[in-house]
Amino acid sequence: MHSTTTKSQERGGVIERYREFLPVSPSTPVISLGEGNTPLIYSPRLSERVGRGCEVFVKNEGVNPTGSFKDRGMTVAVSKAVERGTRILICASTGNTSASAAAYAARAGISCVVILPAGKIATGKLLQAFAYGAKIVAIEGNFDDALRIVRELGKTGDFAIVNSINPDRIAGQKTAAFEIVDELGDAPDFHLLPVGNAGNITAYWTGYSECRAQESSTKLPAMVGFQATGAAPIFHDRVIEKPETIASAIRIGNPASWKQARAAIAESHGSIDVVNDDAILAAQQWLAQHEGILVEPASAAPIAGFFKWCDSDDAARSFQKIRENCRIVCTVTGHGLKDPDVIIGRMKELKPIAATLKDVRRAIEL
Ligand code: F0G
């Protein structure tokens, strides 16, 4: 799937780069903040960990304009909404969708309503929704309740829903798979990512499938999704009434794209697995301190999952018997600055000392 980029468009967003593969026409107004074209970073340490000549890459979606992968879908969803004459966007969110929707609404000059679970949104994400000027409604309920209400409100015709139940969101997000195929020259063998409402795994699978159909890739990756242990409806194959995890972005008990995620996993011979909160936080810290990539907890789930699969000798779910020279891509979905609370806790250890050379030398243990 080769991008249609010319030199002058390199700074353009995903619609400019991939417009022939997206549901847009020349008359669609392009509402963009320059999203996409994110780094695919080779990780020698992760590659060494899995061994057998395999290569591991981290697709860093945290460097999108509002700090998450949502921007890829939002540019398409908002452009299409504006084309249809929409004046008000609406979404339910665990934080990132609301930040993205609010920003693209601002860019388009239209309004945005976000329905959020009260007290469950990471500080940076809520800050973004405020800063971009969204109308924010906090409910005494979880994300699944918020999405139920948004679906009801959507029926009135007053709002355009920009959650991933909107197919324009999925269309935009599939461009991440296009970029990976363009950069690697083929699809990887495994693609690991966090799963919450299950839109993104659906989008990647759509993107990889289109690449294969267009013969820009020779193969399809196994799609491997990771849920948090306390919020793992797809893994357990049942609705979780009260999902709980430190990874608030994926604190979801009844994913909207459940069926599509199941299909992606089955068709790709992939898998769904769980990682616990301790493993998620350890992986977040590892990625920051070994690769210089600071991600939010939900985004560390596939890294935690990668380690689990390297360390586990369970044959069905393991990289221990992986074929030689495989390529593995892990998508990290959101920037770490969005969700600083756990790390802020650690910052309390910092105590000021006297402003003398002697004291400073002692403090840095020289
Ligand atoms: N990672 C991050 C950082 C997210 O914000 C989300 C979803 C996911 C992973 C999971 O993606 O839902 O497509 O399976 N966040 C949504 C939101 C639910 O409201 O921001 P998914």
Side-chain angles (χ1 to χ4, degrees):
M1 191 71 52
H2 298 294
S3 86
T4 49
T5 314
T6 63
K7 269 274 172 246
S8 65
Q9 290 171 337
E10 256 164 28
R11 296 227 153 245
V14 299
I15 296 178
E16 293 309 330
R17 292 185 77 204
Y18 294 109
R19 69 161 47 242
E20 63 193 284
F21 309 108
L22 295 173
V24 293
S25 72
S27 58
T28 310
V30 177
I31 312 299
S32 173
L33 290 164
E35 59 293 315
N37 203 8
T38 56
L40 182 66
I41 301 163
Y42 171 67
S43 169
R45 293 181 187 84
L46 292 175
S47 304
E48 211 173 284
R49 184 81 173 246
V50 68
R52 293 172 178 261
C54 294
E55 292 178 309
V56 182
F57 300 84
V58 178
K59 178 74 168 161
N60 186 8
E61 289 286 276
V63 301
N64 274 297
T66 76
S68 86
F69 70 98
K70 306 286 181 180
D71 297 341
R72 292 179 184 277
M74 208 54 75
T75 183
V76 179
V78 176
S79 297
K80 292 299 288 180
V82 170
E83 185 178 22
R84 293 182 193 114
T86 301
R87 301 302 311 161
I88 314 174
L89 307 179
I90 193 165
C91 66
S93 185
T94 56
N96 282 324
T97 298
S98 56
S100 184
Y104 283 79
R107 176 80 177 156
I110 59 175
S111 308
C112 180
V113 178
V114 303
I115 317 283
L116 308 173
K120 301 290 190 187
I121 305 300
T123 312
K125 303 176 191 178
L126 191 55
L127 178 153
Q128 287 179 291
F130 270 96
Y132 296 130
K135 170 82 189 162
I136 302 168
V137 181
I139 59 161
E140 289 165 350
N142 60 27
F143 170 84
D144 304 296
D145 298 317
L147 186 56
R148 175 175 47 77
I149 292 165
V150 163
R151 285 182 196 268
E152 290 295 320
L153 287 171
K155 286 183 195 156
T156 64
D158 297 333
F159 307 94
I161 299 177
V162 292
N163 282 103
S164 58
I165 55 174
N166 176 338
D168 297 327
R169 277 276 313 278
I170 303 294
Q173 283 172 216
K174 76 185 176 186
T175 60
F178 295 173
E179 287 176 15
I180 291 165
V181 170
D182 278 341
E183 206 161 332
L184 295 181
D186 204 344
D189 299 283
F190 293 88
H191 192 113
L192 279 56
L193 78 172
V195 173
N197 212 26
N200 211 27
I201 192 168
T202 303
Y204 268 98
W205 183 240
T206 305
Y208 282 126
S209 301
E210 289 183 15
C211 288
R212 183 71 195 90
Q214 307 265 345
E215 297 183 355
S216 55
S217 65
T218 67
K219 57 188 171 188
L220 289 161
M223 299 301 303
V224 183
F226 288 96
Q227 300 194 296
T229 304
I234 301 178
F235 178 78
H236 293 298
D237 208 19
R238 64 180 161 83
V239 172
I240 306 295
E241 296 293 341
K242 291 196 163 49
E244 267 314 328
T245 167
I246 191 84
S248 58
I250 52 172
R251 189 187 278 139
I252 293 176
N254 188 10
S257 299
W258 193 325
K259 263 202 226 122
Q260 295 89 324
R262 270 271 157 231
I265 292 160
E267 288 166 24
S268 73
H269 308 288
S271 194
I272 185 89
D273 203 350
V274 287
V275 283
N276 67 34
D277 283 3
D278 287 347
I280 287 173
L281 292 179
Q284 180 194 33
Q285 189 169 344
W286 187 93
L287 198 60
Q289 298 186 359
H290 292 86
E291 297 291 1
I293 304 170
L294 176 58
V295 303
E296 64 168 283
S299 307
I303 305 299
F306 170 85
F307 288 137
K308 181 178 175 184
W309 281 33
C310 285
D311 297 339
S312 152
D313 48 16
D314 169 0
R317 303 217 169 113
S318 171
F319 282 142
Q320 292 195 347
K321 294 182 184 132
I322 193 170
R323 262 190 311 107
E324 291 195 343
N325 306 323
C326 276
R327 281 169 153 180
I328 301 169
V329 173
C330 303
T331 292
V332 294
T333 44
H335 203 289
L337 289 174
K338 283 170 168 281
D339 192 352
D341 297 352
V342 170
I343 299 169
I344 285 175
R346 274 189 243 143
M347 285 160 48
K348 299 209 170 74
E349 293 157 20
L350 188 63
K351 298 276 183 293
I353 56 160
T356 71
L357 185 59
K358 198 172 108 239
D359 286 278
V360 171
R361 287 183 73 94
R362 193 182 308 132
I364 56 183
E365 292 165 359
L366 269 181

